[in-house]
Amino acid sequence: KAAKAKERAGEKKAEGDEISKRILEVLTDDFQTGECITQLVSDIPEITKSKVVARLSNLVKQGKAEKEQIKVDTRKIMAYRATKLD
């Protein structure tokens, strides 16, 4: 059982890495909302906005992305962009 669980965890982690790589590919120097980024990676099977935002949060922690609160109409929404490398 433990071996099977380890194998399944490895598959999930690999899947998450693929999603993160894909998200990094679509990030630009301009801020984009989670909804917009989700639409850009909608070709990934079973992708949801929650999964995208979770990967974006991890990318921010790793320093690969930046986030900022922007105002859209009357709502304040988090937006993300690729970290600029100097």
Side-chain angles (χ1 to χ4, degrees):
K1 267 187 172 180
K4 187 85 168 165
K6 230 178 208 182
E7 182 182 316
R8 210 175 7 252
E11 289 172 7
K12 291 261 186 208
K13 188 170 178 71
E15 181 182 307
D17 291 343
E18 290 300 314
I19 294 171
S20 294
K21 281 182 197 171
R22 188 78 171 82
I23 290 171
L24 263 178
E25 289 173 7
V26 300
L27 282 179
T28 64
D29 292 339
D30 299 321
F31 282 105
Q32 301 166 288
T33 64
E35 188 71 41
C36 177
I37 296 166
T38 303
Q39 289 174 357
L40 292 172
V41 296
S42 61
D43 57 322
I44 299 172
E46 297 179 26
I47 194 71
T48 63
K49 184 179 173 191
S50 298
K51 288 181 182 179
V52 170
V53 171
R55 294 327 183 281
L56 284 166
S57 295
N58 283 336
L59 291 172
V60 169
K61 286 179 190 172
Q62 294 170 13
K64 296 179 181 179
E66 299 174 348
K67 72 177 180 177
E68 188 175 290
Q69 198 173 52
I70 61 170
K71 196 168 185 178
V72 177
D73 298 325
T74 57
R75 301 179 351 200
K76 290 182 181 177
I77 301 174
M78 276 301 172
Y80 302 85
R81 70 176 176 190
T83 302
K84 293 181 181 173
L85 300 173
D86 295 329

